[in-house]
Amino acid sequence: MCATLDVTIGMADVDAYAFLYYANYMKYNERAASLAAQTPLVLSEVENMTFPLPVHWGSEVTIHTFLCPDNAGPADGRIRLIHAWTVATESRDVQAAEALKPVVYNASVIAYTAPSAATSIDPSMLALRPPSVDHPLYAPVMACVRE
């Protein structure tokens, strides 16, 4: 199971070329992680981030958040999550849009910690799971994990 966060990219999020400013990927990933964990999380380490396609101003983005399959667990107080960004299709043809596989605009593996030492993160308590092999985002997400 994954959690999703829908975002519309606004003018304050982009650079002079109307591309999403790179630091804003982190901001939205952190929001998606906190939503998925249902508790505030703080970005601890960006392990890998890929940018196959740019996200533009006005794009309707869905951030899919999965638990990393090789999550280190609560021993080090961190949780590793995978984020995959997809952008809503502009196709008016519903059948053609459904036939398309989702395109990943950004994929990342990021470690998070709880904001205070008193709060611990137990991955087994989360509703998140690693992507299943038959999930449409499995291949691009796992490629990011392997890098």
Side-chain angles (χ1 to χ4, degrees), residues 25 50-56 59 61 84-88 103-107:
Y25 286 96
T50 61
F51 300 90
L53 294 167
V55 174
H56 300 275
S59 296
V61 175
W85 290 48
T86 58
V87 175
V103 175
V104 174
Y105 283 66
N106 175 269

Side-chain angles (χ1 to χ4, degrees), residues 67-74 76 78-81 110 121-124:
L67 184 65
C68 194
D70 56 349
N71 184 55
D76 65 356
R78 300 185 323 163
I79 185 167
R80 294 174 68 225
L81 299 177
I110 300 177
I121 305 166
D122 185 358
S124 66

Side-chain angles (χ1 to χ4, degrees), residues 46-116:
V46 177
E47 296 179 22
N48 187 21
M49 186 173 274
T50 61
F51 300 90
L53 294 167
V55 174
H56 300 275
W57 172 42
S59 296
E60 294 177 13
V61 175
T62 300
I63 304 169
H64 308 266
T65 303
F66 299 93
L67 184 65
C68 194
D70 56 349
N71 184 55
D76 65 356
R78 300 185 323 163
I79 185 167
R80 294 174 68 225
L81 299 177
I82 306 166
H83 301 287
W85 290 48
T86 58
V87 175
T89 180
E90 295 179 11
S91 174
R92 301 284 185 235
D93 182 358
V94 174
Q95 288 180 337
E98 288 177 359
L100 294 174
K101 290 187 177 185
V103 175
V104 174
Y105 283 66
N106 175 269
S108 55
V109 178
I110 300 177
Y112 294 92
T113 58
S116 68

Side-chain angles (χ1 to χ4, degrees), residues 1-4 32-33 36-37 65-67 79 81 123 125-130:
M1 178 177 172
C2 77
T4 60
T65 303
F66 299 93
L67 184 65
I79 185 167
L81 299 177
M125 299 303 289
L126 296 177
L128 293 177
R129 299 289 174 255

